[in-house]
Amino acid sequence: MSKSRKYFRIFGCVCLLIAFMLPIASCGTKDNNAQSEEKISKFANDKIANNKMANNKSVNNDRYGNNEQSGENEDIETSFVTGLEEESEFLLYTDALKKDNSEETASGDIESVIEVTRGDYSHKMNALGEVHYLDTYYQTVDVNDAKFIKYKVEEGDKVKKGDVIMTYSLDYGEEELAAKEQDVTQKEKDYSAGLHTRQAEINQAEHELKQLTDKDEITIKKLEIKKLKLVLKEYSKYKKDIEEERKELEKQKKESKNKVVLSDYDGYIISLDNYIKGDAIFAGSVAAVISPKKEYYVRVDDVSEGKLRYNSEVTIEVEGNPGEADVSMKGKVISASNILSTDNRQQYAYVKIINEPDNVNWENNIKISYTNKELKDVLLINEEAVLYETASEGNEMSRNPYVYIYENNRAYKRYIDIFDEGGDKLVVLQGLAEGQKVAVYKK
C-alpha cells in the first residue's frame, strides 16, 4: 500500500471518531446547562422570595412606628444580577409568647392590653421643707480654758437679753488665780520701781549739767542724758504688756464668779450646739442661734429631692397640732439651685410664703407640693407596660426601655425612647404610634 493511501485512511478514521463523539458531547452539555439553569432559577426564586419577605418586614416596621426607613423598592431581578442588593434589616421585635423568648416575660401571661394615647403630661412632686429665718443672731462664747456643763434653755424657747444660755466650768481654780494675781502685782511693783530709778538718773544728770561750765563737759553730759532718756523710753514698753496681763486676770476672775453665757438678744432659740458635759469651750464658738422670727422663708433641699423651678407656684402644707387639721397655703419659688452657675450653686431652693394663715406652727412637719414638668400634646403610655433591659459598655451601665406591641394575638418586642420622671404615665419620644396596642404582663 502506498504511503499516501495509508495517511488517507488514518485521516478518515479520525473524522469518523469525531463525528461519532459530537452528539454525545452535545447531549452532555445540554444536560449540564439544563441543571445549571434549574439551579440558577431556584436560587433566583429564593432570592426574590427573601426580598419580598424583607420588604414586608420593612412595611411592618413602618406600621409600628420604626424610624428606620427601608428605602425605595428596587427591581429584584436587576439587583440579583448586579449583586448589589443587601440583606433587609431584621425586625426589632420577637414573639414574646414563647417561654424561652424573654427573661422578663418568661411566664407569657398577659394581664391586660392598653393603648398608646395622646394628651398632656404633668409630673407632680413632693419634698420636705424647713423654715429658714433671715434675721438670726449667733450667741458666741467669750472664754477659753473652759469645759461645758449644761444648757439652761431648749430649742424653741423664748429668751430675753441677759437670760442664761449655758453654764461652764474653768480649767483653772482659785489657787491658780491667786498665783496669777501675785505674779502680775509683783511685775507692776518692779516696773514702778525701775521706772522711778531711771527717771531719777535723768533728773540727776540734768542737775549736774547745770553746774558745768566747760564746753566739752557740757557736750558729754548732754549725750549721757540723751542715752538715759532712750533707755527710759524702751523700758516704758513693758508697761503695756503688764497692763494686758492685768486685764486678762481680771476677766478670769470675773468668769470664775459667773461661769455662764448670757443672751445678747431677744428672740427664740432656733438651734443649740451639740455640746456634751466636759467638752472644751473656746472663745468664738457658737453656743446658740437666736432669732426674733420676723422674716423667714421655707427652704427645700434642692439637690437630693427638689428640682424646683424658679418663679413657679407651690403648695405648702404644715402639719397641724394634735387634734387640728393641716394648714395649707401658697408659695412662690424665689431661688433655685439650677439658675446659678456651677461655682455658685447652692444646695437649697427657697420659697416665699403668700398670704400666710394665722396660728401656723412652723415647728411641725412641712411638705411642699409642686409640678416639676408640664408637656402638651404628647404620646403617653402606662408605666406598667414599660420594661427595661440592662446593658453594659465598659464601666458604664445603661437601662434600655422596651414594650411588647400586641397585634393579631401576638406580642412583639419593641425598643422605645421615653421621658421618665417616675410617674404613672410616661412620655413616648420614639418607637410607638398613637392607638397602638401594648401588652402588660403579670408581674
Side-chain angles (χ1 to χ4, degrees), residues 127-131 298 316-319 362 364-368:
L128 297 178
E130 60 181 355
V131 174
V298 175
I316 305 170
E317 290 187 3
V318 182
E319 184 181 33
W362 291 107
N364 293 342
N365 295 328
I366 303 171
K367 184 176 74 172
I368 308 296

Side-chain angles (χ1 to χ4, degrees), residues 54-324:
N55 288 337
N56 291 335
K57 291 179 179 179
S58 297
V59 172
N60 287 336
N61 280 344
D62 292 338
R63 289 177 59 193
Y64 295 131
N66 198 321
N67 288 333
E68 298 180 5
Q69 296 181 356
S70 60
E72 298 180 358
N73 293 332
E74 298 178 354
D75 180 48
I76 297 175
E77 288 78 10
T78 302
S79 63
F80 170 73
V81 172
T82 59
L84 298 178
E85 175 72 3
E86 295 183 356
E87 287 292 327
S88 209
E89 62 177 344
F90 289 99
L91 290 177
L92 294 179
Y93 50 75
T94 56
D95 186 0
L97 299 180
K98 296 180 181 179
K99 290 186 177 181
D100 61 348
N101 191 44
S102 174
E103 181 179 345
E104 295 86 350
T105 58
S107 65
D109 294 332
I110 296 178
E111 185 177 79
S112 61
V113 176
I114 61 175
E115 280 192 9
V116 179
T117 60
R118 182 174 293 278
D120 298 336
Y121 174 82
S122 178
H123 181 243
K124 298 186 180 299
M125 294 185 67
N126 296 316
L128 297 178
E130 60 181 355
V131 174
H132 175 74
Y133 295 98
L134 299 181
D135 46 352
T136 54
Y137 310 108
Y138 297 91
Q139 184 62 58
T140 59
V141 179
D142 191 22
V143 60
N144 281 313
D145 302 323
K147 286 186 172 60
F148 175 78
I149 297 179
K150 67 181 296 185
Y151 278 112
K152 304 295 286 185
V153 294
E154 296 180 354
E155 292 184 359
D157 287 352
K158 186 176 183 179
V159 295
K160 293 182 179 181
K161 184 177 180 179
D163 288 349
V164 177
I165 301 295
M166 59 177 276
T167 61
Y168 58 88
S169 62
L170 297 171
D171 288 344
Y172 47 85
E174 295 297 329
E175 294 182 0
E176 187 177 353
L177 284 176
K180 287 185 177 181
E181 174 68 38
Q182 184 178 356
D183 181 63
V184 173
T185 301
Q186 186 61 46
K187 288 179 178 179
E188 290 173 341
K189 289 180 179 180
D190 293 343
Y191 173 78
S192 180
L195 183 67
H196 178 74
T197 299
R198 287 165 175 76
Q199 187 63 54
E201 290 176 348
I202 295 174
N203 293 338
Q204 180 63 31
E206 289 178 343
H207 177 71
E208 292 175 353
L209 177 63
K210 293 179 181 180
Q211 305 300 321
L212 298 175
T213 57
D214 184 75
K215 184 177 180 181
D216 292 335
E217 291 181 353
I218 291 173
T219 301
I220 292 173
K221 181 59 69 173
K222 285 182 177 181
L223 291 174
E224 181 185 348
I225 293 172
K226 185 177 181 180
K227 182 178 179 181
L228 289 173
K229 287 183 177 180
L230 288 173
V231 171
L232 177 62
K233 183 178 180 181
E234 191 67 24
Y235 181 79
S236 299
K237 293 180 180 179
Y238 291 112
K239 182 180 181 181
K240 185 176 181 179
D241 295 337
I242 297 173
E243 288 176 344
E244 287 294 328
E245 288 190 38
R246 170 58 69 180
K247 184 178 179 180
E248 180 66 22
L249 176 61
E250 294 301 322
K251 178 182 177 182
Q252 291 179 349
K253 289 165 67 175
K254 182 179 179 181
E255 290 171 350
S256 67
K257 294 179 180 179
N258 293 328
K259 298 181 183 178
V260 294
V261 175
L262 304 179
S263 174
D264 293 330
Y265 314 97
D266 296 337
Y268 297 86
I269 302 295
I270 301 302
S271 64
L272 299 171
D273 208 326
N274 55 349
Y275 288 123
I276 60 174
K277 188 174 182 179
D279 282 351
I281 301 174
F282 303 97
S285 58
V286 177
V289 179
I290 303 172
S291 172
K293 295 185 177 181
K294 292 181 179 179
E295 189 175 1
Y296 47 89
Y297 296 137
V298 175
R299 186 172 68 179
V300 178
D301 188 338
D302 204 26
V303 174
S304 61
E305 62 173 331
K307 299 181 181 178
L308 274 75
R309 293 186 294 118
Y310 170 72
N311 207 38
S312 62
E313 287 194 358
V314 302
T315 299
I316 305 170
E317 290 187 3
V318 182
E319 184 181 33
N321 294 324
E324 298 179 357

Side-chain angles (χ1 to χ4, degrees), residues 292-418:
K293 295 185 177 181
K294 292 181 179 179
E295 189 175 1
Y296 47 89
Y297 296 137
V298 175
R299 186 172 68 179
V300 178
D301 188 338
D302 204 26
V303 174
S304 61
E305 62 173 331
K307 299 181 181 178
L308 274 75
R309 293 186 294 118
Y310 170 72
N311 207 38
S312 62
E313 287 194 358
V314 302
T315 299
I316 305 170
E317 290 187 3
V318 182
E319 184 181 33
N321 294 324
E324 298 179 357
D326 296 346
V327 182
S328 179
M329 68 202 79
K330 294 296 182 182
K332 194 170 190 177
V333 180
I334 60 172
S335 177
S337 63
N338 54 15
I339 66 172
L340 303 174
S341 65
T342 303
D343 294 336
N344 297 322
R345 188 156 297 174
Q346 300 176 2
Q347 181 178 357
Y348 300 100
Y350 294 88
V351 178
K352 183 178 182 180
I353 302 163
I354 302 174
N355 298 327
E356 178 183 350
D358 295 331
N359 301 323
V360 179
N361 187 355
W362 291 107
E363 304 300 325
N364 293 342
N365 295 328
I366 303 171
K367 184 176 74 172
I368 308 296
S369 302
Y370 56 98
T371 299
N372 178 255
K373 290 285 189 305
E374 283 186 311
L375 300 173
K376 301 293 185 182
D377 192 28
V378 293
L379 291 179
L380 301 173
I381 188 172
N382 290 23
E383 182 271 339
E384 59 184 350
V386 180
L387 302 172
Y388 294 89
E389 184 176 271
T390 303
S392 61
E393 183 175 350
N395 296 327
E396 297 185 358
M397 299 290 293
S398 62
R399 297 174 72 238
N400 302 319
Y402 65 92
V403 297
Y404 284 101
I405 57 175
Y406 191 80
E407 186 176 272
N408 298 325
N409 295 324
R410 293 172 65 85
Y412 303 96
K413 188 175 182 178
R414 167 63 56 80
Y415 290 95
I416 62 174
D417 190 11
I418 58 174

